[in-house]
Amino acid sequence: MSTLAIAKKDFQDGARSKTLWGLTVLFVLFAGGITYAYSSFDLFAGNEEASALGLIGIIQSAGAVLVPIIALLVGYKSIAGERESGSIKLLLGLPHERRDMVFGKLIGRTLVVAVPIVVGYLVAAVLAIVLIGTLPFVDFLLFVGLTVLFGLAYMSVAVGFSSATSSTSRAAALALAVWVIFQIAWSLVTTVILYFANGQSLPARFPDWYYLLNRLGPDGGYGVATGLLLPDTNTALDRSAWFLQEWFGLVILAFWILVPVGLGYLRFRTVDL
Amino acid sequence: MPAIELQGVTKRFGDVTALSDVDLEVEEGEIYGFLGPNGAGKSTTIDVLLDFVRPTAGTARVLGYDAQAESVEVRNRVGVLPDAFDVYDRLTGRQHVQFAIDSKPHADDDPIEVLERVGIADAADRKAGGYSKGMGQRLVLGMALVGQPDLLILDEPSTGLDPNGAREMREIIREERDRGATVFFSSHILEQVEAVCDRVGILRQGEVVAEDSIAALREAVGGQATLTVTVDTVTEGVGAAVRETEGVSEVSVRGEQLVVSCEDSVKRDVLDAIEDAGATVQDFATERASLEELFAYYTEEADVQEAEA
């Protein structure tokens, strides 16, 4: 109840700031634009089903770039910003646990990102049915849900850092570091690790652990889990290790949803405001 | 059961001691003024009561609950007007009050009635980011009143208010006390405290140096008075004669005026001393000790005791 009161207030704040509307317009243009452009090239020569699945794959890849940066931007000030301005004294002068504040913020800010994702992707779905002629609707809805969980994972990182530090600039720097590591540097990092682990050369057959390491970030988890919905995508890997199955992507995503915000809360729980 | 009970509360931030062994007791149903200069530790004390900071040593109880372990129970029953807060710029006044109502399990106030009481109902649907400092202060006082709290904790409540606003604030404080609430408010403005408080505690450099009713504090200072005497010519002899009079603690000269701090009972002696020294008294006025002087008396007294110890 307390968590929800904070989530509601935070969502209203986001809605009032026009962030919500701006992001909704952005996602409608983004997903709708991709769908429109995609349908103008008849890549699958009349195979409507393959064509629709291909569209989801493209939206997934593009969303994997767009969603993290937006989640981090919407979330990094969530707690540290209230500490800087002093509005936290209003919030915690009311009968809320600090836990309610952290998780209420997580929910409220995730909604600010989730509503644009859902609206934008639903517009894309309608366009796809009109322009391509078909869409695996249930799979698409699950895909939208998965994308929201992906946004939640990055929001967990943003809110986690924002709770662990008293300054928004530090929270921003930490969020940026995570973005660079997982969006830009991760595959390089893992390859370098493999290179040294293998005695300064790359093996002919990459070991299972390398693939696991490669997908341990939130992006990896999201990409792998999408494979559950899209058969034969490029994330599919012919390995039998249990941790390289597609369902394990959900475990990785769950880790990123729970752990960063959890650690941030543990730090925030006892700090002097 | 006292409304607020601090026992041996010490708070250190690194090397800085913000509070040192503070004992404090606020009775239920009274208006308690918490007085001290800026930086004395008033806000830190309030932060301890609300669990914004954790004391290094000592215990704090509010309305019978442990301020650390049972902080949500405390804040369920307390209304807070903090200092150095910021409102949520993009939320309206009404949304702020609604948030306070949503946050308190037993509150069923009407947001507009709350805003009417603090005098900003006209601005209910405007974003609070556009409010003046005084309006923000009224808004947060309104949030503090939500749910009929048993205890109001107000940190420098008159900040940003014009004299009229400060008077309305005092009226609300009295209304709340008459409803049965305890009011604890901090201030460095003595008139505010004097006008409304039943008892005062004086905090100086993290220590409580005095705690009593205002009348008793006056009594303790011993009926001090300030005598302002206008004479025809101020000579060194006049100043010296006054200074030597028994019961005089301080003399300063402002042009043709002598400002004399002395015991109430020796005013006649002072006037006699001036005439005996050859000056003619043209006019004089007396004032009883102001809280400002009370305050100086107590803080300096503490210095003396420290030096002796």
Side-chain angles (χ1 to χ4, degrees):
Chain A
M1 135 109 199
S2 208
T3 310
L4 291 183
I6 294 171
K8 172 186 159 192
K9 179 205 71 70
D10 217 48
F11 182 72
Q12 284 176 335
D13 204 11
R16 280 269 178 160
S17 75
K18 311 279 190 292
T19 308
L20 184 65
W21 311 118
L23 288 178
T24 303
V25 170
L26 178 70
F27 269 89
V28 166
L29 291 176
F30 156 74
I34 286 182
T35 307
Y36 182 77
Y38 178 82
S39 65
S40 348
F41 305 103
D42 190 15
L43 296 178
F44 291 87
N47 183 343
E48 291 176 353
E49 209 166 297
S51 187
L53 288 175
L55 173 65
I56 296 180
I58 287 184
I59 293 181
Q60 194 274 337
S61 308
V65 176
L66 190 61
V67 170
I69 188 103
I70 286 172
L72 292 175
L73 281 175
V74 169
Y76 82 94
K77 280 187 181 173
S78 53
I79 308 250
E82 291 223 14
R83 281 177 77 181
E84 267 181 6
S85 74
S87 58
I88 196 169
K89 292 185 179 178
L90 299 192
L91 203 159
L92 290 180
L94 293 164
H96 302 294
E97 299 275 11
R98 293 194 187 182
R99 187 181 56 225
D100 299 323
M101 177 169 186
V102 173
F103 293 100
K105 289 274 176 182
L106 179 69
I107 295 170
R109 303 267 160 143
T110 299
L111 279 177
V112 172
V113 177
V115 168
I117 291 175
V118 170
V119 172
Y121 284 16
L122 287 182
V123 167
V126 171
L127 269 179
I129 289 169
V130 172
L131 297 172
I132 299 176
T134 183
L135 189 77
F137 209 70
V138 173
D139 283 349
F140 189 80
L141 282 183
L142 289 173
F143 164 69
V144 173
L146 201 57
T147 306
V148 169
L149 289 182
F150 179 52
L152 176 59
Y154 264 99
M155 193 56 75
S156 165
V157 170
V159 173
F161 282 140
S162 202
S163 347
T165 165
S166 59
S167 98
T168 52
S169 47
R170 211 171 305 144
L174 291 166
L176 181 69
V178 166
W179 186 82
V180 169
I181 289 170
F182 288 114
Q183 287 275 304
I184 298 174
W186 193 243
S187 58
L188 180 66
V189 170
T190 56
T191 308
V192 168
I193 291 173
L194 177 62
Y195 178 78
F196 284 103
N198 195 51
Q200 306 210 7
S201 70
L202 289 177
R205 181 185 154 84
F206 287 9
D208 285 349
W209 66 259
Y210 166 77
Y211 289 105
L212 176 65
L213 199 58
N214 228 348
R215 55 179 64 176
L216 276 186
D219 305 81
Y222 175 53
V224 171
T226 312
L228 288 169
L229 309 172
L230 302 178
D232 309 322
T233 54
N234 51 5
T235 56
L237 187 67
D238 188 22
R239 291 288 172 103
S240 57
W242 58 271
F243 53 79
L244 293 182
Q245 305 310 305
E246 283 163 340
W247 62 265
F248 199 73
L250 292 173
V251 176
I252 295 169
L253 215 46
F255 171 90
W256 283 101
I257 289 169
L258 298 173
V259 172
V261 74
L263 291 177
Y265 163 65
L266 286 182
R267 173 105 176 81
F268 180 64
R269 189 177 53 163
T270 54
V271 79
D272 285 341
L273 299 178
Chain B
M1 180 189 70
I4 295 175
E5 194 179 12
L6 296 184
Q7 283 179 346
V9 169
T10 296
K11 178 63 189 178
R12 280 187 283 272
F13 297 101
D15 295 341
V16 181
T17 302
L19 294 176
S20 174
D21 198 22
V22 169
D23 294 322
L24 196 73
E25 202 170 299
V26 176
E27 296 304 324
E28 257 180 75
E30 71 177 346
I31 303 179
Y32 188 97
F34 196 40
L35 202 56
N38 292 324
K42 302 190 296 292
S43 291
T44 304
T45 306
I46 288 174
D47 286 349
V48 168
L49 298 178
L50 299 172
D51 197 33
F52 292 169
V53 308
R54 278 74 197 248
T56 313
T59 57
R61 295 188 78 77
V62 180
L63 301 168
Y65 295 97
D66 185 280
Q68 267 67 56
E70 301 167 297
S71 179
V72 167
E73 289 301 323
V74 168
R75 286 175 285 138
N76 256 331
R77 292 160 177 79
V78 170
V80 183
L81 171 56
D83 83 323
F85 65 83
D86 194 6
V87 295
Y88 293 102
D89 288 353
R90 292 182 292 262
L91 297 183
T92 64
R94 186 201 298 266
Q95 283 173 323
H96 275 83
V97 176
Q98 188 62 50
F99 176 54
I101 295 167
D102 291 346
S103 299
K104 291 201 160 180
H106 307 298
D108 59 351
D109 304 58
D110 173 0
I112 284 299
E113 279 175 19
V114 172
L115 291 170
E116 269 167 10
R117 191 159 172 217
V118 294
I120 54 167
D122 297 348
D125 292 312
R126 275 169 47 199
K127 289 186 187 185
Y131 284 10
S132 69
K133 181 87 183 85
M135 289 169 79
Q137 200 74 11
R138 287 164 183 261
L139 172 60
V140 179
L141 174 66
M143 290 173 72
L145 296 175
V146 163
Q148 305 218 329
D150 296 332
L151 169 66
L152 279 167
I153 295 180
L154 313 174
D155 201 351
E156 301 279 358
S158 57
T159 306
L161 294 177
D162 56 25
N164 198 37
R167 186 181 49 74
E168 287 173 21
M169 169 79 69
R170 288 198 295 274
E171 272 168 25
I172 289 176
I173 287 175
R174 285 197 198 94
E175 284 165 18
E176 288 296 296
R177 191 258 322 264
D178 294 346
R179 175 175 68 73
T182 308
V183 182
F184 178 84
F185 85 84
S186 80
S187 182
H188 65 282
I189 301 169
L190 307 156
E191 290 74 17
Q192 289 281 332
V193 173
E194 192 169 23
V196 71
C197 286
D198 302 318
R199 282 202 311 144
V200 225
I202 296 178
L203 191 71
R204 173 184 165 277
Q205 291 180 12
E207 292 177 53
V208 175
V209 293
E211 193 179 19
D212 216 333
S213 70
I214 288 186
L217 285 179
R218 283 192 190 291
E219 191 69 28
V221 185
Q224 287 280 306
T226 303
L227 184 61
T228 307
V229 190
T230 310
V231 295
D232 54 351
T233 48
V234 177
T235 62
E236 270 180 37
V238 173
V242 174
R243 224 167 259 124
E244 278 158 23
T245 309
E246 198 171 327
V248 170
S249 51
E250 206 184 323
V251 182
S252 61
V253 178
R254 294 180 196 153
E256 302 298 288
Q257 285 189 330
L258 289 161
V259 181
V260 184
S261 301
C262 61
E263 282 170 29
D264 208 34
S265 55
V266 302
K267 285 183 296 194
R268 187 73 245 168
D269 300 344
V270 170
L271 297 179
D272 288 346
I274 292 171
E275 302 254 293
D276 290 348
T280 308
V281 173
Q282 292 176 330
D283 193 12
F284 71 92
T286 62
E287 279 170 32
R288 287 194 307 146
S290 70
L291 266 175
E292 194 80 63
E293 284 158 315
L294 260 183
F295 183 69
Y297 173 84
Y298 272 106
T299 54
E300 278 154 28
E301 187 79 350
D303 271 340
V304 172
Q305 282 167 5
E306 257 168 41
E308 284 169 355

Short mmCIF file of all heavy atoms in Angstrom, two decimals, chain A residues 171-213:
data_model
loop_
_atom_site.label_atom_id
_atom_site.label_comp_id
_atom_site.label_asym_id
_atom_site.label_seq_id
_atom_site.Cartn_x
_atom_site.Cartn_y
_atom_site.Cartn_z
N ALA A 171 25.42 8.96 -9.44
CA ALA A 171 24.46 7.96 -9.95
C ALA A 171 24.49 7.93 -11.47
O ALA A 171 24.44 6.86 -12.09
CB ALA A 171 23.06 8.27 -9.43
N ALA A 172 24.60 9.11 -12.09
CA ALA A 172 24.63 9.18 -13.54
C ALA A 172 25.90 8.52 -14.09
O ALA A 172 25.86 7.77 -15.08
CB ALA A 172 24.56 10.64 -14.00
N ALA A 173 27.04 8.77 -13.43
CA ALA A 173 28.30 8.20 -13.89
C ALA A 173 28.25 6.67 -13.80
O ALA A 173 28.69 5.97 -14.73
CB ALA A 173 29.45 8.74 -13.05
N LEU A 174 27.70 6.16 -12.71
CA LEU A 174 27.62 4.71 -12.55
C LEU A 174 26.68 4.09 -13.59
O LEU A 174 26.97 3.04 -14.17
CB LEU A 174 27.15 4.36 -11.13
CG LEU A 174 28.17 4.68 -10.01
CD1 LEU A 174 27.51 4.63 -8.64
CD2 LEU A 174 29.33 3.71 -10.07
N ALA A 175 25.55 4.76 -13.83
CA ALA A 175 24.61 4.26 -14.84
C ALA A 175 25.26 4.26 -16.22
O ALA A 175 25.12 3.30 -16.99
CB ALA A 175 23.35 5.11 -14.85
N LEU A 176 26.01 5.32 -16.49
CA LEU A 176 26.70 5.40 -17.79
C LEU A 176 27.72 4.27 -17.93
O LEU A 176 27.85 3.65 -18.99
CB LEU A 176 27.40 6.76 -17.92
CG LEU A 176 28.16 6.99 -19.24
CD1 LEU A 176 27.16 7.10 -20.39
CD2 LEU A 176 29.02 8.24 -19.17
N ALA A 177 28.43 3.97 -16.83
CA ALA A 177 29.42 2.91 -16.85
C ALA A 177 28.76 1.57 -17.20
O ALA A 177 29.26 0.80 -18.04
CB ALA A 177 30.14 2.82 -15.51
N VAL A 178 27.62 1.29 -16.59
CA VAL A 178 26.92 0.04 -16.88
C VAL A 178 26.49 0.00 -18.34
O VAL A 178 26.61 -1.03 -19.02
CB VAL A 178 25.68 -0.10 -15.95
CG1 VAL A 178 24.75 -1.19 -16.45
CG2 VAL A 178 26.14 -0.41 -14.54
N TRP A 179 26.03 1.14 -18.82
CA TRP A 179 25.58 1.20 -20.21
C TRP A 179 26.75 0.89 -21.16
O TRP A 179 26.62 0.10 -22.08
CB TRP A 179 25.00 2.59 -20.50
CG TRP A 179 24.41 2.68 -21.87
CD1 TRP A 179 23.16 2.28 -22.25
CD2 TRP A 179 25.03 3.20 -23.04
NE1 TRP A 179 22.98 2.50 -23.58
CE2 TRP A 179 24.10 3.07 -24.10
CE3 TRP A 179 26.29 3.76 -23.31
CZ2 TRP A 179 24.39 3.48 -25.39
CZ3 TRP A 179 26.56 4.17 -24.60
CH2 TRP A 179 25.62 4.02 -25.63
N VAL A 180 27.89 1.52 -20.90
CA VAL A 180 29.06 1.30 -21.76
C VAL A 180 29.49 -0.16 -21.69
O VAL A 180 29.75 -0.81 -22.71
CB VAL A 180 30.23 2.23 -21.35
CG1 VAL A 180 31.52 1.83 -22.05
CG2 VAL A 180 29.88 3.68 -21.65
N ILE A 181 29.52 -0.71 -20.46
CA ILE A 181 30.00 -2.09 -20.31
C ILE A 181 29.11 -3.06 -21.07
O ILE A 181 29.60 -3.89 -21.85
CB ILE A 181 30.05 -2.46 -18.80
CG1 ILE A 181 31.19 -1.71 -18.12
CG2 ILE A 181 30.24 -3.97 -18.63
CD1 ILE A 181 31.18 -1.82 -16.60
N PHE A 182 27.80 -2.96 -20.89
CA PHE A 182 26.93 -3.98 -21.47
C PHE A 182 26.47 -3.67 -22.89
O PHE A 182 26.16 -4.57 -23.64
CB PHE A 182 25.73 -4.25 -20.55
CG PHE A 182 26.14 -4.99 -19.31
CD1 PHE A 182 26.06 -4.39 -18.07
CD2 PHE A 182 26.65 -6.27 -19.40
CE1 PHE A 182 26.46 -5.06 -16.93
CE2 PHE A 182 27.05 -6.96 -18.27
CZ PHE A 182 26.95 -6.35 -17.03
N GLN A 183 26.43 -2.39 -23.25
CA GLN A 183 25.95 -2.06 -24.58
C GLN A 183 27.10 -2.02 -25.60
O GLN A 183 26.89 -2.24 -26.78
CB GLN A 183 25.24 -0.71 -24.57
CG GLN A 183 23.88 -0.76 -23.89
CD GLN A 183 22.79 -1.21 -24.84
OE1 GLN A 183 22.59 -0.61 -25.89
NE2 GLN A 183 22.08 -2.26 -24.48
N ILE A 184 28.29 -1.72 -25.15
CA ILE A 184 29.38 -1.52 -26.10
C ILE A 184 30.51 -2.53 -25.88
O ILE A 184 30.97 -3.17 -26.83
CB ILE A 184 29.94 -0.07 -25.97
CG1 ILE A 184 28.83 0.93 -26.31
CG2 ILE A 184 31.15 0.13 -26.88
CD1 ILE A 184 29.21 2.37 -26.09
N ALA A 185 30.92 -2.70 -24.62
CA ALA A 185 32.19 -3.37 -24.39
C ALA A 185 32.08 -4.86 -24.08
O ALA A 185 33.09 -5.57 -24.11
CB ALA A 185 32.92 -2.67 -23.24
N TRP A 186 30.87 -5.36 -23.82
CA TRP A 186 30.78 -6.68 -23.21
C TRP A 186 31.39 -7.80 -24.06
O TRP A 186 32.15 -8.62 -23.56
CB TRP A 186 29.33 -7.01 -22.85
CG TRP A 186 29.21 -8.20 -21.94
CD1 TRP A 186 28.60 -9.38 -22.23
CD2 TRP A 186 29.75 -8.34 -20.64
NE1 TRP A 186 28.70 -10.24 -21.17
CE2 TRP A 186 29.41 -9.63 -20.18
CE3 TRP A 186 30.50 -7.50 -19.80
CZ2 TRP A 186 29.79 -10.10 -18.93
CZ3 TRP A 186 30.88 -7.97 -18.55
CH2 TRP A 186 30.52 -9.26 -18.14
N SER A 187 31.06 -7.85 -25.34
CA SER A 187 31.56 -8.96 -26.14
C SER A 187 33.09 -8.88 -26.29
O SER A 187 33.78 -9.90 -26.34
CB SER A 187 30.89 -8.99 -27.52
OG SER A 187 31.12 -7.77 -28.17
N LEU A 188 33.60 -7.66 -26.29
CA LEU A 188 35.05 -7.50 -26.32
C LEU A 188 35.68 -8.02 -25.03
O LEU A 188 36.66 -8.78 -25.03
CB LEU A 188 35.40 -6.01 -26.52
CG LEU A 188 36.90 -5.69 -26.58
CD1 LEU A 188 37.52 -6.32 -27.83
CD2 LEU A 188 37.13 -4.19 -26.57
N VAL A 189 35.07 -7.63 -23.90
CA VAL A 189 35.56 -8.06 -22.59
C VAL A 189 35.60 -9.59 -22.51
O VAL A 189 36.61 -10.19 -22.12
CB VAL A 189 34.68 -7.48 -21.45
CG1 VAL A 189 35.03 -8.12 -20.11
CG2 VAL A 189 34.83 -5.97 -21.37
N THR A 190 34.52 -10.22 -22.90
CA THR A 190 34.46 -11.68 -22.78
C THR A 190 35.47 -12.34 -23.70
O THR A 190 36.08 -13.35 -23.35
CB THR A 190 33.04 -12.20 -23.08
OG1 THR A 190 32.65 -11.74 -24.38
CG2 THR A 190 32.05 -11.73 -22.05
N THR A 191 35.67 -11.77 -24.88
CA THR A 191 36.64 -12.36 -25.80
C THR A 191 38.06 -12.23 -25.25
O THR A 191 38.87 -13.15 -25.34
CB THR A 191 36.53 -11.67 -27.18
OG1 THR A 191 35.17 -11.71 -27.60
CG2 THR A 191 37.39 -12.39 -28.21
N VAL A 192 38.33 -11.07 -24.63
CA VAL A 192 39.64 -10.87 -24.03
C VAL A 192 39.85 -11.88 -22.89
O VAL A 192 40.91 -12.50 -22.75
CB VAL A 192 39.80 -9.42 -23.51
CG1 VAL A 192 41.03 -9.28 -22.63
CG2 VAL A 192 39.87 -8.46 -24.68
N ILE A 193 38.82 -12.08 -22.09
CA ILE A 193 38.92 -13.05 -20.99
C ILE A 193 39.21 -14.44 -21.56
O ILE A 193 40.10 -15.16 -21.09
CB ILE A 193 37.62 -13.07 -20.15
CG1 ILE A 193 37.49 -11.75 -19.38
CG2 ILE A 193 37.61 -14.25 -19.18
CD1 ILE A 193 36.19 -11.58 -18.64
N LEU A 194 38.50 -14.80 -22.61
CA LEU A 194 38.71 -16.12 -23.23
C LEU A 194 40.14 -16.23 -23.78
O LEU A 194 40.81 -17.26 -23.62
CB LEU A 194 37.70 -16.31 -24.37
CG LEU A 194 37.83 -17.62 -25.17
CD1 LEU A 194 37.62 -18.84 -24.28
CD2 LEU A 194 36.84 -17.65 -26.33
N TYR A 195 40.60 -15.18 -24.40
CA TYR A 195 41.93 -15.13 -25.00
C TYR A 195 43.01 -15.44 -23.95
O TYR A 195 43.90 -16.26 -24.15
CB TYR A 195 42.13 -13.75 -25.61
CG TYR A 195 43.48 -13.52 -26.24
CD1 TYR A 195 43.80 -14.04 -27.50
CD2 TYR A 195 44.44 -12.75 -25.58
CE1 TYR A 195 45.03 -13.82 -28.07
CE2 TYR A 195 45.69 -12.52 -26.15
CZ TYR A 195 45.98 -13.06 -27.40
OH TYR A 195 47.20 -12.83 -27.97
N PHE A 196 42.88 -14.79 -22.78
CA PHE A 196 43.89 -15.03 -21.75
C PHE A 196 43.69 -16.36 -21.05
O PHE A 196 44.65 -17.03 -20.69
CB PHE A 196 43.89 -13.87 -20.75
CG PHE A 196 44.57 -12.64 -21.30
CD1 PHE A 196 43.85 -11.55 -21.76
CD2 PHE A 196 45.97 -12.60 -21.39
CE1 PHE A 196 44.48 -10.44 -22.29
CE2 PHE A 196 46.60 -11.48 -21.91
CZ PHE A 196 45.86 -10.41 -22.38
N ALA A 197 42.42 -16.74 -20.86
CA ALA A 197 42.15 -18.02 -20.20
C ALA A 197 42.68 -19.18 -21.03
O ALA A 197 43.03 -20.25 -20.51
CB ALA A 197 40.65 -18.18 -19.95
N ASN A 198 42.74 -18.98 -22.32
CA ASN A 198 43.16 -20.04 -23.23
C ASN A 198 44.65 -19.93 -23.57
O ASN A 198 45.10 -20.41 -24.62
CB ASN A 198 42.30 -19.98 -24.50
CG ASN A 198 42.43 -21.26 -25.32
OD1 ASN A 198 42.28 -22.35 -24.78
ND2 ASN A 198 42.73 -21.12 -26.61
N GLY A 199 45.44 -19.26 -22.72
CA GLY A 199 46.87 -19.13 -22.99
C GLY A 199 47.17 -18.22 -24.16
O GLY A 199 47.95 -18.56 -25.06
N GLN A 200 46.54 -17.07 -24.17
CA GLN A 200 46.77 -16.03 -25.18
C GLN A 200 46.55 -16.49 -26.62
O GLN A 200 47.33 -16.20 -27.53
CB GLN A 200 48.18 -15.45 -25.02
CG GLN A 200 48.44 -14.97 -23.61
CD GLN A 200 49.40 -13.81 -23.55
OE1 GLN A 200 49.80 -13.27 -24.56
NE2 GLN A 200 49.76 -13.41 -22.33
N SER A 201 45.49 -17.27 -26.77
CA SER A 201 45.03 -17.56 -28.14
C SER A 201 43.56 -17.92 -28.06
O SER A 201 43.05 -18.20 -26.97
CB SER A 201 45.81 -18.73 -28.74
OG SER A 201 45.44 -19.92 -28.08
N LEU A 202 42.87 -17.89 -29.18
CA LEU A 202 41.46 -18.24 -29.15
C LEU A 202 41.31 -19.70 -29.59
O LEU A 202 41.92 -20.12 -30.56
CB LEU A 202 40.68 -17.33 -30.10
CG LEU A 202 40.55 -15.88 -29.62
CD1 LEU A 202 39.82 -15.04 -30.67
CD2 LEU A 202 39.82 -15.81 -28.29
N PRO A 203 40.52 -20.46 -28.84
CA PRO A 203 40.36 -21.88 -29.18
C PRO A 203 39.53 -22.07 -30.45
O PRO A 203 38.79 -21.17 -30.83
CB PRO A 203 39.63 -22.45 -27.96
CG PRO A 203 38.89 -21.29 -27.40
CD PRO A 203 39.70 -20.07 -27.68
N ALA A 204 39.68 -23.22 -31.07
CA ALA A 204 38.92 -23.52 -32.28
C ALA A 204 37.44 -23.65 -31.94
O ALA A 204 36.57 -23.14 -32.65
CB ALA A 204 39.43 -24.81 -32.92
N ARG A 205 37.16 -24.33 -30.84
CA ARG A 205 35.78 -24.46 -30.39
C ARG A 205 35.65 -23.71 -29.06
O ARG A 205 36.30 -24.04 -28.08
CB ARG A 205 35.44 -25.94 -30.19
CG ARG A 205 34.01 -26.18 -29.75
CD ARG A 205 33.79 -27.67 -29.46
NE ARG A 205 32.71 -27.88 -28.50
CZ ARG A 205 31.43 -27.92 -28.84
NH1 ARG A 205 31.07 -27.79 -30.09
NH2 ARG A 205 30.51 -28.12 -27.92
N PHE A 206 34.81 -22.66 -29.06
CA PHE A 206 34.67 -21.86 -27.85
C PHE A 206 33.99 -22.68 -26.76
O PHE A 206 33.02 -23.39 -27.04
CB PHE A 206 33.85 -20.59 -28.13
CG PHE A 206 34.62 -19.55 -28.93
CD1 PHE A 206 35.87 -19.83 -29.49
CD2 PHE A 206 34.08 -18.27 -29.10
CE1 PHE A 206 36.56 -18.86 -30.22
CE2 PHE A 206 34.77 -17.31 -29.82
CZ PHE A 206 36.00 -17.61 -30.39
N PRO A 207 34.49 -22.57 -25.52
CA PRO A 207 33.88 -23.36 -24.43
C PRO A 207 32.50 -22.83 -24.05
O PRO A 207 32.17 -21.68 -24.33
CB PRO A 207 34.87 -23.17 -23.28
CG PRO A 207 35.57 -21.89 -23.56
CD PRO A 207 35.61 -21.76 -25.06
N ASP A 208 31.74 -23.68 -23.36
CA ASP A 208 30.39 -23.31 -22.94
C ASP A 208 30.39 -22.06 -22.06
O ASP A 208 29.54 -21.19 -22.17
CB ASP A 208 29.74 -24.46 -22.14
CG ASP A 208 29.31 -25.59 -23.07
OD1 ASP A 208 29.32 -25.38 -24.31
OD2 ASP A 208 28.99 -26.66 -22.56
N TRP A 209 31.36 -22.01 -21.14
CA TRP A 209 31.36 -20.89 -20.19
C TRP A 209 31.51 -19.54 -20.89
O TRP A 209 31.03 -18.51 -20.42
CB TRP A 209 32.40 -21.07 -19.09
CG TRP A 209 33.86 -21.05 -19.53
CD1 TRP A 209 34.65 -22.14 -19.70
CD2 TRP A 209 34.67 -19.92 -19.84
NE1 TRP A 209 35.92 -21.77 -20.10
CE2 TRP A 209 35.95 -20.40 -20.19
CE3 TRP A 209 34.44 -18.53 -19.86
CZ2 TRP A 209 37.00 -19.56 -20.57
CZ3 TRP A 209 35.50 -17.69 -20.25
CH2 TRP A 209 36.77 -18.20 -20.59
N TYR A 210 32.19 -19.55 -22.04
CA TYR A 210 32.34 -18.31 -22.78
C TYR A 210 30.97 -17.80 -23.25
O TYR A 210 30.65 -16.61 -23.13
CB TYR A 210 33.26 -18.50 -23.98
CG TYR A 210 33.17 -17.37 -24.97
CD1 TYR A 210 33.81 -16.16 -24.72
CD2 TYR A 210 32.42 -17.50 -26.14
CE1 TYR A 210 33.71 -15.10 -25.62
CE2 TYR A 210 32.30 -16.43 -27.04
CZ TYR A 210 32.95 -15.25 -26.78
OH TYR A 210 32.84 -14.20 -27.65
N TYR A 211 30.16 -18.72 -23.73
CA TYR A 211 28.82 -18.31 -24.18
C TYR A 211 27.97 -17.83 -23.00
O TYR A 211 27.20 -16.88 -23.12
CB TYR A 211 28.13 -19.46 -24.91
CG TYR A 211 28.76 -19.72 -26.25
CD1 TYR A 211 29.59 -20.83 -26.45
CD2 TYR A 211 28.55 -18.85 -27.32
CE1 TYR A 211 30.19 -21.06 -27.68
CE2 TYR A 211 29.14 -19.08 -28.55
CZ TYR A 211 29.96 -20.18 -28.73
OH TYR A 211 30.56 -20.40 -29.94
N LEU A 212 28.15 -18.50 -21.87
CA LEU A 212 27.40 -18.08 -20.68
C LEU A 212 27.80 -16.65 -20.29
O LEU A 212 26.97 -15.77 -20.10
CB LEU A 212 27.65 -19.04 -19.51
CG LEU A 212 26.99 -18.60 -18.20
CD1 LEU A 212 25.47 -18.63 -18.34
CD2 LEU A 212 27.41 -19.48 -17.03
N LEU A 213 29.14 -16.46 -20.22
CA LEU A 213 29.66 -15.15 -19.85
C LEU A 213 29.12 -14.07 -20.79
O LEU A 213 28.71 -12.99 -20.38
CB LEU A 213 31.19 -15.20 -19.92
CG LEU A 213 31.97 -14.13 -19.17
CD1 LEU A 213 31.62 -14.15 -17.69
CD2 LEU A 213 33.48 -14.34 -19.36
#
